[in-house]
Amino acid sequence: MAPQIIISGAPGSGKGTQCEFIVKTYGVVHISTGDILREHVKGGTDLGKQANEFMTKGELVPDQLVIDMVKAKLSEPEVSQKGWLLDGFPRTPAQAQAMADNGINADVFLQLEVPDEVLVERICGRRTDPVTGKIYHMSFNPPPQDDEILNRLVHRADDTEEALRTRLVAYHNNVNGIIDFYKSICVTVNGHSDLGFKENVARVQKELCDGVDASQKT
Protein backbone atom coordinates (compact mmCIF):
# COMPACT_ATOMS: atom_id res chain seq x y z
CA MET A 1 0.00 0.00 0.00
CA ALA A 2 1.33 3.46 -0.88
CA PRO A 3 2.21 5.42 2.31
CA GLN A 4 -0.04 8.27 3.34
CA ILE A 5 1.88 10.53 5.72
CA ILE A 6 1.27 13.83 7.52
CA ILE A 7 4.25 15.65 9.06
CA SER A 8 4.08 18.53 11.51
CA GLY A 9 6.86 20.62 13.02
CA ALA A 10 7.48 24.18 14.13
CA PRO A 11 9.62 26.64 12.15
CA GLY A 12 13.23 25.55 12.62
CA SER A 13 12.34 21.99 13.66
CA GLY A 14 14.15 20.51 10.65
CA LYS A 15 10.89 19.53 8.94
CA GLY A 16 12.10 20.62 5.49
CA THR A 17 15.21 18.44 5.71
CA GLN A 18 13.19 15.46 6.91
CA CYS A 19 10.56 15.92 4.17
CA GLU A 20 13.30 15.64 1.54
CA PHE A 21 14.57 12.48 3.23
CA ILE A 22 11.10 10.87 3.44
CA VAL A 23 10.41 11.62 -0.23
CA LYS A 24 13.75 10.08 -1.21
CA THR A 25 13.29 7.03 1.04
CA TYR A 26 9.67 6.16 0.26
CA GLY A 27 9.17 7.73 -3.18
CA VAL A 28 6.04 9.56 -2.03
CA VAL A 29 4.86 12.87 -3.50
CA HIS A 30 5.58 15.89 -1.28
CA ILE A 31 2.49 18.07 -0.93
CA SER A 32 2.58 21.58 0.49
CA THR A 33 -0.68 23.52 0.50
CA GLY A 34 1.26 26.72 -0.27
CA ASP A 35 2.67 25.12 -3.43
CA ILE A 36 -0.74 23.76 -4.46
CA LEU A 37 -2.32 27.16 -3.95
CA ARG A 38 0.30 28.85 -6.12
CA GLU A 39 -0.09 26.16 -8.82
CA HIS A 40 -3.87 26.69 -9.02
CA VAL A 41 -3.61 30.49 -9.06
CA LYS A 42 -0.87 30.43 -11.69
CA GLY A 43 -2.74 27.84 -13.77
CA GLY A 44 -5.94 29.87 -13.65
CA THR A 45 -8.07 26.89 -12.52
CA ASP A 46 -11.57 27.44 -11.14
CA LEU A 47 -10.26 26.74 -7.63
CA GLY A 48 -7.33 29.06 -8.26
CA LYS A 49 -9.58 31.90 -9.39
CA GLN A 50 -11.77 31.49 -6.29
CA ALA A 51 -8.68 31.45 -4.03
CA ASN A 52 -7.22 34.49 -5.75
CA GLU A 53 -10.33 36.53 -4.97
CA PHE A 54 -9.68 36.05 -1.25
CA MET A 55 -5.91 36.52 -1.54
CA THR A 56 -6.16 39.81 -3.42
CA LYS A 57 -8.36 41.16 -0.59
CA GLY A 58 -5.75 40.03 1.95
CA GLU A 59 -8.16 37.43 3.34
CA LEU A 60 -7.44 33.82 4.28
CA VAL A 61 -8.45 31.21 1.73
CA PRO A 62 -11.39 29.24 3.24
CA ASP A 63 -10.62 25.76 4.57
CA GLN A 64 -13.01 24.02 2.18
CA LEU A 65 -11.31 25.59 -0.83
CA VAL A 66 -7.91 24.38 0.39
CA ILE A 67 -9.36 20.91 1.09
CA ASP A 68 -10.78 20.79 -2.45
CA MET A 69 -7.30 21.58 -3.81
CA VAL A 70 -5.74 18.88 -1.62
CA LYS A 71 -8.37 16.36 -2.75
CA ALA A 72 -7.70 17.20 -6.40
CA LYS A 73 -3.96 16.70 -5.84
CA LEU A 74 -4.43 13.39 -4.00
CA SER A 75 -6.60 12.06 -6.84
CA GLU A 76 -3.82 12.53 -9.41
CA PRO A 77 -2.65 9.11 -10.73
CA GLU A 78 0.98 9.66 -9.69
CA VAL A 79 -0.02 10.57 -6.12
CA SER A 80 -2.44 7.62 -5.85
CA GLN A 81 0.27 5.27 -7.05
CA LYS A 82 3.25 6.59 -5.06
CA GLY A 83 1.54 7.79 -1.88
CA TRP A 84 1.82 11.23 -0.30
CA LEU A 85 3.51 13.33 2.33
CA LEU A 86 1.28 16.18 3.47
CA ASP A 87 3.55 18.88 4.85
CA GLY A 88 2.21 21.07 7.66
CA PHE A 89 -1.46 20.47 6.89
CA PRO A 90 -3.98 20.30 8.50
CA ARG A 91 -3.06 23.21 10.77
CA THR A 92 -6.33 23.66 12.65
CA PRO A 93 -9.08 21.43 14.14
CA ALA A 94 -11.51 22.71 11.48
CA GLN A 95 -9.10 21.61 8.71
CA ALA A 96 -8.54 18.21 10.36
CA GLN A 97 -12.32 17.71 10.62
CA ALA A 98 -12.83 18.79 7.01
CA MET A 99 -10.19 16.29 5.87
CA ALA A 100 -11.94 13.49 7.76
CA ASP A 101 -15.32 14.55 6.35
CA ASN A 102 -13.81 14.41 2.85
CA GLY A 103 -12.39 10.92 3.38
CA ILE A 104 -8.72 12.00 3.50
CA ASN A 105 -7.05 9.71 6.01
CA ALA A 106 -3.36 9.26 6.82
CA ASP A 107 -1.49 6.12 7.95
CA VAL A 108 0.78 8.06 10.29
CA PHE A 109 1.04 11.54 11.78
CA LEU A 110 4.70 12.44 12.36
CA GLN A 111 5.22 15.11 15.01
CA LEU A 112 8.67 16.73 15.29
CA GLU A 113 9.17 18.24 18.73
CA VAL A 114 11.93 20.77 19.51
CA PRO A 115 12.03 23.07 22.58
CA ASP A 116 11.13 26.69 21.82
CA GLU A 117 14.48 28.00 23.10
CA VAL A 118 16.31 25.73 20.65
CA LEU A 119 14.06 26.91 17.80
CA VAL A 120 14.84 30.54 18.66
CA GLU A 121 18.57 29.80 18.53
CA ARG A 122 18.21 27.93 15.21
CA ILE A 123 16.00 30.49 13.48
CA CYS A 124 17.44 33.77 14.74
CA GLY A 125 20.93 32.80 13.59
CA ARG A 126 19.81 32.20 10.01
CA ARG A 127 21.03 34.40 7.18
CA THR A 128 20.14 34.14 3.50
CA ASP A 129 22.39 34.86 0.52
CA PRO A 130 20.04 36.66 -1.93
CA VAL A 131 22.33 35.87 -4.86
CA THR A 132 22.62 32.09 -4.45
CA GLY A 133 19.54 31.48 -2.28
CA LYS A 134 21.72 29.54 0.15
CA ILE A 135 20.77 29.66 3.84
CA TYR A 136 23.54 29.82 6.44
CA HIS A 137 23.52 29.78 10.24
CA MET A 138 25.98 32.01 12.01
CA SER A 139 26.74 29.27 14.61
CA PHE A 140 25.90 25.89 13.06
CA ASN A 141 26.59 26.45 9.37
CA PRO A 142 28.56 29.70 9.04
CA PRO A 143 29.03 31.43 5.70
CA PRO A 144 32.45 31.57 4.04
CA GLN A 145 34.75 34.29 5.37
CA ASP A 146 34.31 36.29 2.20
CA ASP A 147 33.52 40.00 2.63
CA GLU A 148 31.43 40.12 -0.54
CA ILE A 149 29.18 37.28 0.69
CA LEU A 150 29.08 38.49 4.32
CA ASN A 151 28.03 41.99 3.29
CA ARG A 152 25.10 40.83 1.18
CA LEU A 153 23.60 38.34 3.68
CA VAL A 154 20.00 39.08 4.64
CA HIS A 155 18.31 38.52 8.02
CA ARG A 156 14.65 37.90 7.16
CA ALA A 157 12.08 39.95 9.07
CA ASP A 158 10.26 36.82 10.24
CA ASP A 159 13.52 35.30 11.53
CA THR A 160 13.69 37.74 14.46
CA GLU A 161 12.97 36.43 17.97
CA GLU A 162 9.84 38.55 18.40
CA ALA A 163 8.33 37.39 15.09
CA LEU A 164 9.28 33.77 15.75
CA ARG A 165 7.75 33.66 19.24
CA THR A 166 4.47 34.97 17.78
CA ARG A 167 4.57 32.20 15.14
CA LEU A 168 5.36 29.60 17.80
CA VAL A 169 2.35 30.57 19.94
CA ALA A 170 0.10 30.11 16.89
CA TYR A 171 1.84 26.84 15.98
CA HIS A 172 1.44 25.31 19.46
CA ASN A 173 -2.22 26.35 19.64
CA ASN A 174 -2.89 24.73 16.27
CA VAL A 175 -1.02 21.49 16.99
CA ASN A 176 -2.65 21.10 20.40
CA GLY A 177 -5.98 21.48 18.65
CA ILE A 178 -5.40 18.76 16.00
CA ILE A 179 -3.44 16.18 17.97
CA ASP A 180 -6.68 14.57 19.25
CA PHE A 181 -7.67 13.77 15.66
CA TYR A 182 -4.50 11.74 15.13
CA LYS A 183 -3.87 10.24 18.60
CA SER A 184 -4.06 6.67 17.33
CA ILE A 185 -1.53 7.21 14.51
CA CYS A 186 0.73 9.88 16.06
CA VAL A 187 4.48 9.25 16.24
CA THR A 188 6.31 11.94 18.21
CA VAL A 189 10.02 12.35 17.50
CA ASN A 190 12.37 14.55 19.50
CA GLY A 191 14.03 16.77 16.91
CA HIS A 192 16.78 17.93 19.28
CA SER A 193 19.66 16.25 21.09
CA ASP A 194 23.19 16.96 22.29
CA LEU A 195 24.59 14.89 19.44
CA GLY A 196 26.35 16.64 16.56
CA PHE A 197 24.20 18.12 13.79
CA LYS A 198 24.64 15.20 11.35
CA GLU A 199 24.19 12.59 14.08
CA ASN A 200 20.99 14.24 15.26
CA VAL A 201 19.58 14.43 11.71
CA ALA A 202 20.38 10.73 11.20
CA ARG A 203 18.73 9.76 14.52
CA VAL A 204 15.58 11.73 13.66
CA GLN A 205 15.50 10.13 10.20
CA LYS A 206 15.65 6.64 11.73
CA GLU A 207 12.88 7.35 14.23
CA LEU A 208 10.66 8.84 11.54
CA CYS A 209 11.27 5.81 9.30
CA ASP A 210 10.44 3.46 12.18
CA GLY A 211 7.13 5.29 12.54
CA VAL A 212 6.30 5.10 8.84
CA ASP A 213 7.37 1.43 8.58
CA ALA A 214 5.24 0.46 11.59
CA SER A 215 2.20 2.18 10.07
CA GLN A 216 2.56 0.11 6.90
CA LYS A 217 2.36 -3.16 8.85
CA THR A 218 -0.92 -2.44 10.58
Side-chain angles (χ1 to χ4, degrees), residues 102-119:
N102 282 270
I104 303 171
N105 300 302
D107 303 323
V108 62
F109 181 92
L110 302 173
Q111 170 71 13
L112 270 175
E113 285 201 342
V114 178
D116 283 3
E117 293 311 313
V118 175
L119 295 171

Side-chain angles (χ1 to χ4, degrees), residues 157-217:
D158 57 354
D159 280 352
T160 62
E161 181 170 348
E162 185 182 5
L164 176 62
R165 289 195 184 276
T166 301
R167 288 159 70 198
L168 289 175
V169 168
Y171 170 77
H172 290 307
N173 287 341
N174 289 341
V175 166
N176 292 338
I178 65 173
I179 215 75
D180 281 349
F181 281 88
Y182 301 108
K183 263 191 302 200
S184 61
I185 60 168
C186 185
V187 174
T188 300
V189 175
N190 178 7
H192 172 66
S193 77
D194 294 327
L195 298 168
F197 175 74
K198 287 183 180 176
E199 290 82 0
N200 187 56
V201 170
R203 177 191 59 78
V204 173
Q205 287 173 346
K206 182 184 181 306
E207 291 184 25
L208 291 174
C209 283
D210 288 347
V212 175
D213 293 344
S215 76
Q216 296 301 292
K217 293 171 186 169

